[in-house]
Amino acid sequence: MDWGLLLISAALINNVVLVQYLGLCPFMGVSNRMDSAFGLSLATAFVLTLTSVVAYLIETLILIPLDAVWLRTLAFIVAIAITVQSTELIMRKTAPLLYQVLGLFLPLITTNCAVLGIALLNVNRSHTLLESALYGFGAAMGFALVLVMFSAMRERLARADIPELLQGTPIALITAGFMALAFMGFSGIVNS
Amino acid sequence: MNEITIDIIAGVIALTALTTAGGLLLQTLSRRFRVDGSPLVAQIDACLPQTQCGQCGHPGCRPYAEAIASGESINKCPPGGRDTIEALADLLGKEPIPLDAAHGTTELPKVAVIDETVCIGCTKCIVACPVDAILGAAKLMHTVIADECTGCDLCLAPCPVDCIALVPRSWPTRDIKSTASREVIARG
Amino acid sequence: MAECRIIQSPRRLAGGLQRADGKALSLSQPLMQVNPPVLQIALPDTLQDIPPERWSIGAQIEAGQPLFTTQEGITQACPRTATVESVGTGKTLSGSPTPCRLLNLTVVDPDPPRQPSLTPLPANPDGRTLRQRAADAGIVGLGGGGFPAHLKWQHRLHTLIVNGAECEPFLTADEQTMRLRAPAIWDAVVALMSALSLQRCVLVLEDNKPEALAALQAAYPSVLDAQDVCITVIQSQYPSGAERQLIWLALGLEIATTTFPVEHGIVVHNPVTLAALADALHGYPLTDRIVTVTGPSIVTPGTFQTPLGTPIDLLLSQAGGLRPGHHNVFHGGPYTGWPISNTAAGVRATTACLYAAPVVSQTPSPCIRCGACAEVCPVQLQPQQLFAALTHDQLDEALHVGLSQCLECGACDVVCPSNLSLTKTFQDGIRDHQIQQSEKQRADRARTRFEARNQRLLKRSEADETRRAVRRERSGSALDRIRAARAEETH
C-alpha cells in the first residue's frame, strides 16, 4: 500500500472535517483563538492516532476471536474514553498551562465523532495495523491543519467589520463552507 | 447452552474485562501524575487590581483568587471593573458577566488624603491600611503615601476624628504630547 | 579653513514618504528678530524649588535670571527684563482640560540679553562642568522633543550625531540655524567631543539643503580631525530624522526599539540645541529660539528668532497673519504637529514650527485594505492590522504586531485613501498600553506590600505567642504562689 498516498488521502483528500464532516464540534467551538485551537488540535491528534491503533488491536485480538463484533461501538467508545482520560491526566501534570487553556474541551474529545469515525473507518476498509496507524495519524494531521487554519481566519474575522447579522457563528459557518469548497479541489490529485 | 448465549456472555465478559483494565490503568496514572496546588490561582490573582479592599467579601485579592479557582463567580470586584471581569473570563474560558452590584460600583481611581490640621495621631488608620501606605507613629503626624495608596477606603472608618477623605487620583491623560513626558510616564 | 570629509549615504528607508518639501515657502524671507511686549511662560506641574518672592506682582526680573528649576534639573531663565503682571492658572497650548500655571510678564527691555548671566566657561570644559552648565542654561532638545540634554550625557558615549535632517516638510528652523550659526554648532561639537571623550561625530543633512552644507563646510574648525568628524548627506525622505532611522541611514546600525541609542553609546542632538549649548558655554542661558511660521494659510511665511513665551498669535501676525477662512494652527509640522487650541499661549522651547492649514473636514470611510499605509511605514509595520486590532479593542493583538515600535510619524495618515486617523488611533493605543503597564506595576507593588504586611503581622502574633507562653510558664508559678498565699490567708 502506498503510504504517502494513504497519508495525503487521510489528511487532505478525505479530510475528516471538511470532506467527511466529522468532528465539527471542536472545529466550531474551540477555534475562537489560535492558542486554544492549536492545543486542542494537538491533543485530538494524539488521541486519534493512539485510538486508531488501540481500536484495531481490540477488534483483532478481542472482538473477532470472541465473535463479539456486535460490541464494536461500545468497545471503541470505552477505549476512546480511557485514552482521553489518560491524556488529560498526563497533560495536567506535564503541560499545566495547556491544560488550563483547554479546560472543558479535553473530555469533549471523547464525544468527538471524528475519533470514533476514524476507528470505524479503519475497520470498514480492513486496514492492517500499520495502515490503521498511518490512516489515524494522517487524519489527525488533517484535523489539526484545518482547525489551526480556521482559527487563524476566525481571529482575523473578529477584527473585521462584519455586518451585525452575520457576526460570530454565521460568518464562521460561511467561512467553513468556503474552506470545504477549497478542499474539494484536492480530490483532483487522484484519478478515482 | 445456546451458542448465541455463549457469544453474548463471552462478549460481555470481554467488554467488562476491557473496561476494568482501563479503569485500573486510569487509577495508576492518576496516582503517578498527581498534581498538587494550582498555578491557576496566581494567574487569577494577576488579573485582580490588588486594591485589597474586601468589597468582594474576601479579606484581600489573593483569597478571592483562590475562591474563583474553586468556582466562585468572577463579577465581584468593583475596583477591577469591566477590565478585570473580561480578563478573568478570557483566562477561565467563561462568558464575561456584568458586575454584581451588591458588591459595589466601579468608580474612578481614588487616593486617600489626611487632613493634617485635624489628625490626632491615633494610628488607627495605619493599622487598617492593607498595603501599609500610611506613614506615621503614635502622637505624630500621619500622612498617606499617595503612590502606594490603592484607594480601598478601609482607613476611613477607623478614624475617630473623620480626617481622611478619598479624592480622585489624577491619572495620566491622553493629551500628553512630548516624548519627554511620555518617557517620564513610561519610567513610572 | 580645514578640509571637511563629506560622505554620501547609500542607504534609503524602506518605506517613508517623498513629497514636495514646502521649505522654500519660509526660506523666501531672511530670519527676523521678534521682540514682543508681553510674555506668557507656562510653569511645569512639579518644580524643584518654591518660586522666589521676586514673583510678586510688579516685581522686576532681569533678563537671564533663573525663573524656576524643573524636577529634572533644567533651569529656565527669564527671556527678557520684565515685570511680573500676574501668576495664575489658565488654558494650556493644547486646550487640555487640566489648567496649567502661567506666569505673565510685561517686557521692560525688548532686546535680547546683552550680558552673559552665567560665567563664561574656558575652552574645553570637563564633563561634569558641561552637564551642570547645560542644566543651568535650560538646554533641552530644541528639535521638538524637549528632553534635557544633560541627562543624555550621563551614559558612556562614543559617537555624536548632529541631526540636521529636518525631514518634515515646511520646517526650516534647523536649516536656518545651520546656515547662519554654523560656527556655533561646530563650537558645541568641539566642546562635547572633548568633555565626553567622544571618538567620532557625524553631522547628518538631507540632500535638499545645499546652502546649509556649504555653510557648515566653510566653518569647519581645524581643531577637528577629519577622520573622526565628518558630514554625511542622506536622501531626503520623511521620516529620516527619527532617531533610530537616522542612525541607520548615517551609520548603518540598527538600534532595537527596546533600548535607547544612548545605551549603545550614541547620542543624537539637534543643531539648534547645539547652537544654544554654544551660547550657554559663553554664559547666555536659553532665552530665544528660531520658530518657523509657515503653511498654506500664512500670508508671509518665514522664520523668526523670538523669546520663549512669545504669544503665538503675535508670531502669527508677524508672519502676516492667517488668510481669511477657517484654519488650524499646528504646533509642529504637517505630519507630527498637533492643533493649538489656545493661540494666546506662549512659545515653548519645543515649538520649532507653527504650521497653519485650512480646515478640511475629512470624514473617514472604511478601510479598503489597499496596503498603501504598509508601503510607507518606515518601521515596516502593518498599519491596517494595527488599526483593525485597536478599533476592535484588541490591544494585545496590536502589541503583538508591533504597536510599541510605531514612531507616530504620520506617514500612513498621509497616504490613506479613506482618510482614517491612523496615527491618532496608534497614539491612543500606546497611551492605553502605558497606562496598563503602570497600573500593573502599581498592582504588583500593592500585592508585595500586602503580603509583606501579612508576614509582619504573622511574625508579630507568633512573637506575641512565644512571649505569652514564657510568661505563662513564669506566671504559672506566680499564680500557684498567689493561690497558695490565699489558701494560707483563708486558713
Side-chain angles (χ1 to χ4, degrees), chain B residues 127 129 131-132 169 174-175, chain C residues 96 432 442 449 453 456:
Chain B
V127 169
C129 177
V131 292
D132 286 338
R169 181 195 299 283
R174 278 179 180 174
D175 64 348
Chain C
S96 96
D432 285 343
R442 294 184 60 92
R449 291 177 80 89
R453 176 175 178 266
R456 193 184 76 234

Side-chain angles (χ1 to χ4, degrees), chain B residues 45-52 59-63 82 126-134 145-150 169 171-180 182-188, chain C residues 72 92 94-98 144-148 151 260 338-339 350 393 396 408 424 427-432 434-435 438-447 449-454 456-457:
Chain B
D45 194 35
C47 299
L48 299 175
Q50 303 306 314
T51 318
Q52 319 291 357
C61 298
R62 180 90 191 186
R82 191 180 62 110
I126 295 181
V127 169
C129 177
V131 292
D132 286 338
I134 303 185
I145 308 172
D147 277 344
E148 304 295 348
C149 172
T150 63
R169 181 195 299 283
W171 279 134
T173 50
R174 278 179 180 174
D175 64 348
I176 297 174
K177 301 287 182 291
S178 75
T179 320
R182 268 195 247 123
E183 277 179 353
V184 167
I185 290 189
R187 281 201 295 273
Chain C
E72 285 147 335
T92 60
S94 57
S96 96
T98 328
F147 191 76
L151 291 182
F260 290 112
W338 40 270
T350 53
D393 283 326
D396 288 332
E408 298 171 34
K424 170 121 196 344
Q427 281 173 338
D428 289 346
I430 292 175
R431 159 66 56 247
D432 285 343
Q434 283 175 339
I435 292 179
S438 70
E439 276 297 277
K440 187 170 178 307
Q441 277 178 2
R442 294 184 60 92
D444 287 343
R445 267 210 318 267
R447 188 186 300 119
R449 291 177 80 89
F450 182 62
E451 283 167 7
R453 176 175 178 266
N454 287 348
R456 193 184 76 234
L457 294 177

Side-chain angles (χ1 to χ4, degrees), chain B residues 26-42:
Chain B
L26 285 176
Q27 207 182 25
T28 327
L29 281 176
S30 76
R31 260 194 239 121
R32 259 240 24 231
F33 289 95
R34 188 196 309 264
V35 95
D36 305 304
S38 172
L40 185 62
V41 175

Side-chain angles (χ1 to χ4, degrees), chain C residues 349-373:
Chain C
T350 53
T351 312
C353 175
L354 294 172
Y355 173 81
V359 174
V360 181
S361 62
Q362 294 176 324
T363 39
S365 37
C367 172
I368 58 172
R369 313 277 197 279
C370 66
C373 52

Side-chain angles (χ1 to χ4, degrees), chain A residues 16 43-53 114-116 118-119 136-137 139-141 143:
Chain A
V16 200
T44 311
F46 177 70
V47 169
L48 247 176
T49 316
L50 197 56
T51 311
S52 301
V53 175
V115 184
L116 182 63
I118 296 297
F137 181 70
M141 287 299 107
F143 180 85

Side-chain angles (χ1 to χ4, degrees), chain C residues 300-446:
Chain C
T300 45
T303 47
F304 301 90
Q305 172 108 356
T306 183
L308 302 180
T310 306
I312 294 207
D313 35 23
L314 193 145
L315 257 188
L316 292 174
S317 64
Q318 289 282 323
L322 296 171
R323 295 187 200 280
H326 293 288
H327 307 279
N328 275 330
V329 181
F330 291 91
H331 181 281
Y335 298 156
T336 61
W338 40 270
I340 297 175
S341 72
N342 176 19
T343 49
V347 156
R348 302 177 181 173
T350 53
T351 312
C353 175
L354 294 172
Y355 173 81
V359 174
V360 181
S361 62
Q362 294 176 324
T363 39
S365 37
C367 172
I368 58 172
R369 313 277 197 279
C370 66
C373 52
E375 281 175 9
V376 299
C377 179
V379 194
Q380 297 184 281
L381 297 175
Q382 304 262 345
Q384 76 273 31
Q385 285 218 41
L386 286 170
F387 187 73
L390 287 172
T391 47
H392 288 85
D393 283 326
Q394 294 182 10
L395 185 59
D396 288 332
E397 177 64 28
L399 291 165
H400 179 65
V401 287
L403 178 66
S404 39
Q405 313 226 3
C406 173
L407 299 179
E408 298 171 34
C409 68
C412 48
D413 278 343
V414 174
V415 298
C416 179
S418 302
N419 298 323
L420 293 168
S421 47
L422 296 164
T423 311
K424 170 121 196 344
T425 312
F426 303 154
Q427 281 173 338
D428 289 346
I430 292 175
R431 159 66 56 247
D432 285 343
H433 176 55
Q434 283 175 339
I435 292 179
Q436 234 183 38
Q437 296 286 87
S438 70
E439 276 297 277
K440 187 170 178 307
Q441 277 178 2
R442 294 184 60 92
D444 287 343
R445 267 210 318 267

